[in-house]
Each structure stands twice: as structure tokens, then as C-alpha cells.
């Protein structure tokens, strides 16, 4: 349901289907005041409201059943949010006070019975019309979301009259303005921030309950979904609904837009886009408790880590249910009786009221400890059986409007919230052992270990083959060298031996020849016996020497053989050393593998550090570039960061602690420093500065300081000198805010503000710029003292010149300015301080006024109707109004105007004017 006071929207996108697994569950208790993430965060209990606590129970079970020892009761927490007055209420109820009075510091609400008496109610939180969407989320939904992340079920529900802002509070996407995001979008942001993409999962379903039929908003053709209840646990499930896995916030927003596009909505008297169905968003969160500690063993084969990983991981499952109820309504106040649709809309309204009535009966039964809870009277109560009296942590926000015309509906909504505060739930933690995940992880790890073992085995075999080849090559080389050396030695000894023998033979032959010659000589001389004996002795000596040489050669041969034997023993020893070396090589290889693993880890860490270093270098360069641009941007960035806290609407005196102090801003930066930046040479700096000043001017407490510091003069100078339309638009908006003060109005006129505004309007093309300028002039038109000067400087002509835009917002501001001017003229004529025709008529405004007196835009039409009534109160304007066709519009206003005060004023004006009465008689019009 779109709230009239907050804004209307419809969004949509596409979806896909999947499903969630299930396994053994373990329930653990959660204290009602505990917070899974922040133990110091505690919920307040009502101790002064006089509310009686009821025994916990399920919507579908007897309330008198005994409490589960494992459960801890948790009361339903209720917050009330007041919607601001919408445009229609500002006009229709302008003379009436709001029917409610909020005391947020006391968490109390007063509902007025009349001007003297009121009823007081207390709630867990009281949110004023100025409360931001962020504030509403933090006090209503954030504790529930944190519980869901901790493994509990949680429910956030909005209840209230049609048009009081339930859909705005829950389902606003905030794509144009992030500050307007509703509870659904903000809840999913916190959920994604609290889960891990690797181990956790988030799934959503989005349904609507229309005419007691459950329809899938992701797949509208699936429009008859059944509700299944577990007979053991009582859990409610919807097996036919689409369940979509989501990984990021953008995909969720697209799904939410798609679902909103399929919701049933209709135009009613209370809301132009009223939801005609109950919308139910279900978010299933599955989180791993072990996280990083449950990871499997690393590649280094740490056995203790492997044993630790065999323990199955603990998984916590939480379900968040966000319920946007259709508006409670009285048929005569809401339903349009249009031709062809009367019966269908009546049936819709009846179905809505029946389901809400069934929900109210269940809550009444739980609050009063009734033995029977009528949970099966409606599908809505069956879906919400876990939210009221069940095991979910529940927060309810009731939305109300300020209009005294709807006091009965407001009182009914307040009483619904009061009864809901008496309901207690039994919160239970949902834990389970994820054996499937453990099996998958072990399978993956086993595959990795097998692959690594095979790789190591192949590498080991290749290494052994390489070492064996190298050893065989070395042995062959040694044997070849040994054989070559042995052959060389043998040949050498043989050659030496043969050389020695040859020398001995030659020597022996010479000796024989010598003996023969000597013998002949002796025989010739005489007895030769002595000579012969001497020769034989010499020969014997030679033979003895030859034997010694042979013995020496034999010894050398023996030494050579011993050398060969020695070399063989050394070869055998080398083989033994080779075997020992092989074992050492295996050990070294294992050490090398370990070092390689360590090196790989270090390389990963180095790569991570390098990426961080690159990021730091990039951030440093960006920071240096920003600093090089000068100190102005640094000042503006500080201003922007502080101004983001000042953009919230004005809060009451108690406040909520989130609004930044303007005194702190002035102390840290200084208003004069901010205003000095309006004259900076850099266009971006000027734009930032004028936006800051415009935000400050929106606060009434800052306006006087801005004017005293020369801010008004600077803004007017910007209108005069700047050519940037953005600056024109923002500066004109700031001047419009300042022009709401009567003292500032005179200063604006004294400094030529009308001329500058008129010049800006003449040159502007953007409708928003024209709207800001028209709003500023319209505020000045409401000052009695400035009428003549404003007209003389072209203010009226500037207003009439802006109607060429034809934009409804611009025309509404023009109509408001004309109505303010006509009202001041009427007051001056009544007091006798003004004579002559209206300045509006003299400047040619009457034809446009008559043309738009029946404008289809209600805001434009009502301002014009007021202007006609005020112009008609002065007799000197009557002739011009008759000739210009204004009399017919006055007669129509007196009969058909929806506002009673304007209708009465038109009747009184026609009756009091003799000229009008004469013309009516001439035309034979009864009045």
C-alpha cells in the first residue's frame, strides 16, 4: 500500500527458481533482551503501561500449554509512526488540530477525545512525522534482522488505516533518494553484510494474499499456493512458492520491483494507489557457525587440521518475514463507487476486513490467555501463527494519520497495537549439523589428495629413473676409464719388457762376438783356457742380471694386479655409496617438496601484499590529486560529511540523537568560511557551497545567522552573476526558505531580490528552477507592506511569465502567489488602506485566473478559487470580473467547491455585492 503522505511507487523485475535443503535441527533459546551481535543492546520492557503479560503459545495451539524448557519468552514489540499531513488534509483540516499528540521522549501517545479530554497510551517506540526511514528501521526492524542472522525466526509487520504509510515504511526502494529506502531494502543490506558469500546462502519468496488466495508475486501464474503445517514442530511452509537464491543487493531490488509490479492496487478515496492485498516477503538465511575454523586441512598435510575438519559444520537457519498488510478501512470512507467496479471493490474491501478481523481475534485471544485461538479462520492468521505466540521475534509498527476526520480508525489501530504488546513468543535458536556440506567438502578434499598423490608418485618415479640413469652412466664411465687405464698399463709394461729383452739379446750377441774374437786372438798366442773361463763368468753374470730384471717385471705385474683388485673393491664401495646417496636424495627431494610448498605460500602472500601495495599506491595518488586541487575541496568534503547528518527533517525537542549540531558545524568550519566559498573560481566548489547553504537555510534556527553573515546578499549575487542553472535552482530554493520570514522578506526586497528572481525566471528552462523562483515570489506576495513595490519591480509579471512552463508544480506556486497577493489586497481594501482596482487585474492576471479556476490539479484549483473570492470582495473589481467571465466561476465555486470554507466565502461574497446581484438577476440565475 502506498502512503499518501510519504509518496507512491510501483516497481518490478525478473526472477529465477531454486530450493533449500534440510537436515537435523537443534533448538537453542535466546533471551528476549539479548542481541546476537551486540550483547550490550537490550530491549526495554513496559513497566509503567499497566499491561498484563500473557502466557506464551502458538496461534494454532492452546495458550495454556506448558512452556518449553529450552525456550525463552519474548514479548511482541510495538512502535507507532505518525504520518504527516498530506496536501488534502492541509486544506481540509487547516482549521482543526491533529487528533493525536506524541511524546516520543516518554514513548507515549495522546489521542484527543475533544478539546479538553484525551486518552494516553504507551508503546515501545513513538516515531513522529519527522522520523527518518533510517530511524524507523533501527528501532523497529534492526533487532529482528540481527536475531535472524543469529539463527532465529523474525517478523516485521505494518498495520494501519489505508494511506497512513505502511508500504512506504516497509517496501520503499529509494532508488532516487537512498534516505527513503524502506525496511525491506535496509534489512537485506544488513543481511548481506552479515553473511559470507562462500559458505552462507540467502533465498527469498514474495507472496500476496488476495481474496483469501495466495499468489506468487515472482510467478503470477502460480496463484493457488497451499499452506502446509508440520504436525511435529508446527512450522508453516509454502512448498509451491518460488524460492530464489540471491547473491547481492541489486538482484534483490530487481526482484522486489518485479513483485511490486504484480501486486493488486486500486484508487480509493483515502489513497490514490491503495494496496488491495497483503504482501508477505520471506527471507531464508543459512549461515555457517564454524566459518574459517571449519576449513579442511591445508596442502602441507597437517593431520590435526584434517581431524578437526571431520567434525560436521554447524549451520544456523533463520527466517525473516516482512508483512505489508492491506489497509484497515471503512467501506464508506475508502471505496470509490465507480461504474462497473462497485461489486468487485466491495468484495476486495470485505476480504481485507475479514482477514484483519481474524488477525485481531487471534491477538485478543492470546492477550487474554484464551484456551482457544481461532487461527484457522483465515489464511493470514495461519501464515502468521509463528509471529504471534510462536517462536519468532516479532516487531509491529502501527501507522496512523493526524486527521481528526479519521479518529475512529486511528483509535482502532492504537488498540490493535496495545493488544499486540500483551502477546509473548517463545524464541528458539535453529541449529543443525550440515552433513551434506561436510561430505561435499571431504569429497573435494579426497579428490585433491588423490590427484596430489598421483602427481607426487609420477614425479617420484621420474626422479628415480633419472637418478638410475645417471648412476649407470657414471658406472659405465668409470669401468671404461678403468679398462682403458689397465690396457695402457699392460701395453706399457709389455713394451718395456720386450725392449729390455731386446737390449739384453743385443748385448749378449755383442758379448758372444767379442768372446769369439778374443778367443781367436788368444789361440794364436798360446794357451786360451783362461780367456774362455773369463768369458763364461761374464755370461753368467749377464744371465743373473737378466733374471733379476724378469723378477722385477713379475713384481710389477703383481703390483698391477693388486691395483686392479683395489679398483674393483673401490667400485663395489662406490656402488654402496650410490645406494646411500639415493636414500639421501629421497630425503632431500622431500625437503625440496616441502620448501616448494612453503615457497608457493610465500609467493601467494607476496602477491597479496603486492596487490595491497598497488591499492595503497593508487589511493595515495588519488589523495595527492585531491590535495593538489587545493584546500577548498577538502573543506567542502568535510562540510558534505557533516551536512549529510543535517538533511533530516526537523525533530521535536527531545530528538532521536541522530541530528548533527549546527553549532558543532559552525565551530569546526565556520559559516563565514562556507559563505566565502560561494565566490570561489571553481564551479564545482561553488555548487557544493550553495548546496550546503541551502541545506542550512532549511532549518529555521539557521536562517537568522545566514542573513547576519551576509548569506542572503551572496545568494542574490549568485542569481545575478552566475550562468549555471544548478546554482540558480539551489540558490532560489535557499532564498525561498529565507523568504518565509517577514523580516527577511523586507531585506530581499531592499536588495533588489525581485529583479534578480525575475531575471532568473526569464532565463530558466528547468521546471524545478522555475518552481523554486515561483515559490520565493509567492512567499513575498503574502506581505502586506510589499504589495506596491513587488508589483512595481515586476513581481506579478514574473509570476505570470512562468505559466508558459505548464508544469503542475510551477503552476501551483504561481497560483499560490496570486492567492497570497489577492488576500493581502482584500485585507487592505477592507481596512480602507487601498483604493482602486486590483493590481492583479491591471497586470492582466484575470484571464489566466478564470482559465484555471477549474484546473484538474486540485492544488492549483483551490488557490485560484481563493484568489477569485478575495478579488470579488472589492466592488471596484466587480465590473472587470463580470466582463472577464469570473462571475460564472464564482457561482460554480459557491455550489460545487469541495472545500466548505471556500464555498461559504463565495456565497457570502456574491450575496454582499450589489453589482453581482444585479447581474445575476439580469441573467435570471438564482442564488
Amino acid at each position: 500500500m502506498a502512503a499518501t503522505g510519504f509518496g507512491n511507487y510501483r516497481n518490478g523485475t525478473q526472477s529465477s527458481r531454486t530450493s533449500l535443503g534440510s537436515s537435523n535441527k537443534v533448538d537453542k533459546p535466546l533471551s528476549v533482551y539479548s542481541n546476537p551481535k551486540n550483547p550490550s543492546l537490550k530491549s526495554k520492557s513496559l513497566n509503567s503501561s499497566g499491561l498484563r503479560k500473557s502466557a506464551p503459545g502458538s496461534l494454532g495451539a492452546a495458550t495454556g500449554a506448558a512452556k518449553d524448557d529450552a525456550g525463552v519468552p519474548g514479548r511482541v514489540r510495538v512502535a507507532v509512526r505518525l504520518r504527516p499531513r498530506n496536501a488534502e488534509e492541509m486544506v481540509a483540516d487547516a482549521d482543526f488540530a491533529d487528533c493525536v499528540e506524541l511524546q516520543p521522549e516518554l514513548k507515549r501517545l495522546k489521542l484527543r477525545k475533544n478539546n479538553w479530554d484525551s486518552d494516553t497510551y504507551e508503546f515501545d517506540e513513538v516515531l513522529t512525522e519527522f522520523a527518518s526511514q533510517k530511524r524507523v528501521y533501527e528501532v523497529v526492524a534492526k533487532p529482528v534482522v540481527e536475531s535472524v542472522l543469529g539463527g532465529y525466526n523474525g517478523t516485521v509487520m505494518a498495520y494501519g488505516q489505508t494511506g497512513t504509510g505502511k508500504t512506504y515504511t516497509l517496501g520503499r526502494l529509494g532508488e532516487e533518494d537512498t534516505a527513503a529506502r524502506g525496511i525491506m531494502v535496509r534489512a537485506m543490506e544488513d543481511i548481506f553484510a552479515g553473511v559470507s558469500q562462500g559458505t552462507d546462502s540467502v533465498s527469498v519468496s514474495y507472496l500476496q494474499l488476495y481474496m483469501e488466495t495466495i499468489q506468487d508475486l515472482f510467478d503470477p501464474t502460480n496463484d493457488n499456493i497451499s499452506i502446509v503445517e508440520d504436525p511435529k514442530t508446527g512450522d508453516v511452509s509454502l512448498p509451491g512458492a518460488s524460492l530464489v537464491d540471491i547473491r547481492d543487493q541489486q538482484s534483490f531490488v530487481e526482484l522486489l520491483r518485479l513483485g511490486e509490479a504484480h501486486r493488486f492496487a486500486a484508487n480509493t478515496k483515502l489513497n490514490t494507489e491503495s494496496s488491495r492485498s497483503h504482501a508477505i516477503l520471506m527471507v531464508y538465511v543459512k549461515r555457517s557457525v564454524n566459518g574459517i575454523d571449519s576449513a579442511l586441512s591445508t596442502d602441507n598435510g597437517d593431520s590435526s587440521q584434517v581431524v578437526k575438519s571431520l567434525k560436521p559444520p554447524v549451520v544456523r537457519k533463520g527466517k525473516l518475514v516482512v508483512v505489508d498488510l492491506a489497509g484497515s478501512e471503512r467501506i464508506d470512507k475508502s471505496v470509490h463507487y465507480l461504474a462497473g467496479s462497485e461489486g468487485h471493490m466491495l468484495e476486495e474491501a470485505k476480504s481485507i476486513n475479514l482477514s484483519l478481523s481474524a488477525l485481531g481475534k487471534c491477538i485478543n485471544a492470546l492477550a487474554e490467555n484464551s484456551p482457544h485461538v481461532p487461527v484457522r479462520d483465515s489464511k493470514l492468521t495461519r501464515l502468521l501463527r509463528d509471529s504471534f505466540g510462536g517462536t519468532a521475534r516479532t516487531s509491529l509498527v502501527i501507522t496512523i494519520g493526524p486527521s481528526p476526520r479519521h479518529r475512529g480508525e486511528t483509535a482502532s489501530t492504537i488498540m490493535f497495537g496495545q493488544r499486540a504488546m500483551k502477546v509473548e513468543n517463545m524464541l528458539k535458536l535453529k541449529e543443525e549439523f550440515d552433513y551434506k556440506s561436510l561430505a561435499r567438502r571431504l569429497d573435494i578434499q579426497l579428490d585433491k589428495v588423490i590427484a596430489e598423490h598421483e602427481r607426487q608418485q609420477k614425479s617420484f618415479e621420474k626422479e628415480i629413473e633419472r637418478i638410475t640413469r645417471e648412476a649407470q652412466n657414471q658406472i659405465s664411465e668409470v669401468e671404461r676409464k678403468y679398462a682403458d687405464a689397465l690396457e695402457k698399463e699392460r701395453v706399457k709394461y709389455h713394451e718395456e719388457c720386450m725392449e729390455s729383452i731386446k737390449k739384453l739379446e743385443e748385448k749378449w750377441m755383442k758379448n758372444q762376438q767379442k768372446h769369439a774374437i778374443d778367443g781367436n786372438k788368444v789361440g794364436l798366442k798360446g794357451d786360451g783356457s783362461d780367456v774362455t773361463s773369463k768369458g763364461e763368468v761374464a755370461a753368467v753374470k749377464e744371465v743373473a742380471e737378466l733374471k733379476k730384471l724378469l723378477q722385477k717385471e713379475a713384481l710389477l705385474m703383481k703390483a698391477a694386479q693388486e691395483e686392479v683388485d683395489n679398483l674393483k673393491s673401490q667400485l663395489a664401495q662406490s656402488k654402496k655409496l650410490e645406494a646411500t646417496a639415493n636414500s639421501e636424495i629421497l630425503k632431500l627431494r622431500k625437503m625440496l617438496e616441502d620448501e616448494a610448498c612453503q615457497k608457493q605460500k610465500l609467493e601467494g602472500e607476496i602477491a597479496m601484499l603486492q596487490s595491497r601495495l598497488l591499492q595503497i599506491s593508487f589511493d595515495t595518488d588519488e589523495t595527492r590529486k585531491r590535495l593538489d586541487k587545493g584546500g577548498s575541496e577538502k573543506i567542502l568534503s568535510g562540510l558534505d560529511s557533516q551536512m549529510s547528518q543535517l538533511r533530516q527533517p526537523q525533530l521535536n525537542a527531545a530528538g532521536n540523537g541522530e541530528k548533527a549540531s549546527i553549532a558543532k558545524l559552525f565551530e569546526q568550519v565556520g559559516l563565514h568560511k562556507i559563505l566565502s566559498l560561494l565566490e570561489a573560481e571553481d564551479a564545482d566548489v561553488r555548487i557544493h557551497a550553495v548546496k550546503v547553504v541551502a541545506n542550512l537555510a532549511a532549518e529555521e534556527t539557521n536562517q537568522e545567522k545566514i542573513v547576519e553573515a551576509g548569506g542572503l546578499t551572496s545568494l542574490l549575487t549568485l542569481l545575478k552573476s552566475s550562468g549555471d542553472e544548478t546554482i540558480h535552482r539551489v540558490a532560489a530554493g535557499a532564498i525561498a526558505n529565507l523568504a518565509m520570514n517577514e523580516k527577511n522578506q523586507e531585506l530581499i526586497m531592499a536588495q533588489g531580490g525581485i529583479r534578480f528572481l525575475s531575471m532568473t525566471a526569464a532565463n530558466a528552462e528547468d521546471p524545478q528552477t522555475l518552481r523554486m523562483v515561483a515559490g520565493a515570489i509567492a512567499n513575498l506576495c503574502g506581505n502586506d507592506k510589499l504589495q506596491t513595490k513587488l508589483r512595481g519591480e515586476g513581481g506579478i509579471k514574473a509570476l505570470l511569465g512562468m505559466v508558459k512552463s505548464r508544469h503542475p508544480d510551477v503552476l501551483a506556486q504561481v497560483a499560490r502567489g496570486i492567492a497570497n497577493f489577492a488576500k493581502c489586497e482584500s485585507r487592505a481594501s477592507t481596512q480602507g488602506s487601498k483604493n482602486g482596482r486590483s493590481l492583479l487585474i491591471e497586470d492582466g492576471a484575470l484571464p489566466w485566473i478564470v482559465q484555471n479556476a477549474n484546473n484538474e490539479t486540485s492544488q492549483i484549483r483551490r488557490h485560484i478559487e481563493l484568489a477569485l473570492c478575495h478579488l470579488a470582495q472589492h466592488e471596484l473589481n466587480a465590473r472587470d470580473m463580470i466582463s472577464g467571465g469570473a462571475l460564472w466561476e464564482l457561482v460554480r465555486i459557491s455550489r460545487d467547491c469541495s472545500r466548505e470554507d471556500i464555498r461559504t466565502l463565495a456565497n457570502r461574497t456574491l450575496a454582499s455585492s450589489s453589482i453581482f446581484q444585479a447581474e445575476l438577476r439580469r441573467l435570471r440565475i438564482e442564488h
Side-chain angles (χ1 to χ4, degrees), residues 318 577 854 888:
L577 292 175
N854 198 18
W888 296 102

PDB file of all heavy atoms in Angstrom, residues 318 577 854 888:
ATOM      1  N   GLY A 318      17.742 -18.997   9.809  1.00  0.00           N
ATOM      2  CA  GLY A 318      16.789 -18.009  10.286  1.00  0.00           C
ATOM      3  C   GLY A 318      15.853 -17.607   9.166  1.00  0.00           C
ATOM      4  O   GLY A 318      16.230 -17.599   7.997  1.00  0.00           O
ATOM      5  N   LEU A 577      78.038 -46.636  -1.802  1.00  0.00           N
ATOM      6  CA  LEU A 577      77.848 -45.187  -1.580  1.00  0.00           C
ATOM      7  C   LEU A 577      76.707 -44.641  -2.451  1.00  0.00           C
ATOM      8  O   LEU A 577      75.974 -43.736  -2.046  1.00  0.00           O
ATOM      9  CB  LEU A 577      79.158 -44.445  -1.891  1.00  0.00           C
ATOM     10  CG  LEU A 577      80.322 -44.714  -0.929  1.00  0.00           C
ATOM     11  CD1 LEU A 577      81.588 -44.020  -1.424  1.00  0.00           C
ATOM     12  CD2 LEU A 577      79.980 -44.251   0.483  1.00  0.00           C
ATOM     13  N   ASN A 854     -10.973  26.062 -12.788  1.00  0.00           N
ATOM     14  CA  ASN A 854     -11.463  24.676 -12.697  1.00  0.00           C
ATOM     15  C   ASN A 854     -10.383  23.707 -13.168  1.00  0.00           C
ATOM     16  O   ASN A 854     -10.660  22.712 -13.831  1.00  0.00           O
ATOM     17  CB  ASN A 854     -12.731  24.510 -13.530  1.00  0.00           C
ATOM     18  CG  ASN A 854     -13.504  23.260 -13.129  1.00  0.00           C
ATOM     19  OD1 ASN A 854     -13.296  22.705 -12.049  1.00  0.00           O
ATOM     20  ND2 ASN A 854     -14.391  22.806 -13.999  1.00  0.00           N
ATOM     21  N   TRP A 888     -19.279  33.605 -13.516  1.00  0.00           N
ATOM     22  CA  TRP A 888     -19.725  32.214 -13.683  1.00  0.00           C
ATOM     23  C   TRP A 888     -18.902  31.272 -12.804  1.00  0.00           C
ATOM     24  O   TRP A 888     -19.440  30.333 -12.221  1.00  0.00           O
ATOM     25  CB  TRP A 888     -19.596  31.801 -15.138  1.00  0.00           C
ATOM     26  CG  TRP A 888     -20.492  32.590 -16.058  1.00  0.00           C
ATOM     27  CD1 TRP A 888     -20.155  33.621 -16.866  1.00  0.00           C
ATOM     28  CD2 TRP A 888     -21.906  32.405 -16.236  1.00  0.00           C
ATOM     29  NE1 TRP A 888     -21.221  34.099 -17.553  1.00  0.00           N
ATOM     30  CE2 TRP A 888     -22.340  33.356 -17.193  1.00  0.00           C
ATOM     31  CE3 TRP A 888     -22.848  31.521 -15.703  1.00  0.00           C
ATOM     32  CZ2 TRP A 888     -23.667  33.458 -17.610  1.00  0.00           C
ATOM     33  CZ3 TRP A 888     -24.160  31.613 -16.117  1.00  0.00           C
ATOM     34  CH2 TRP A 888     -24.564  32.575 -17.050  1.00  0.00           C
TER      35      TRP A 888
END
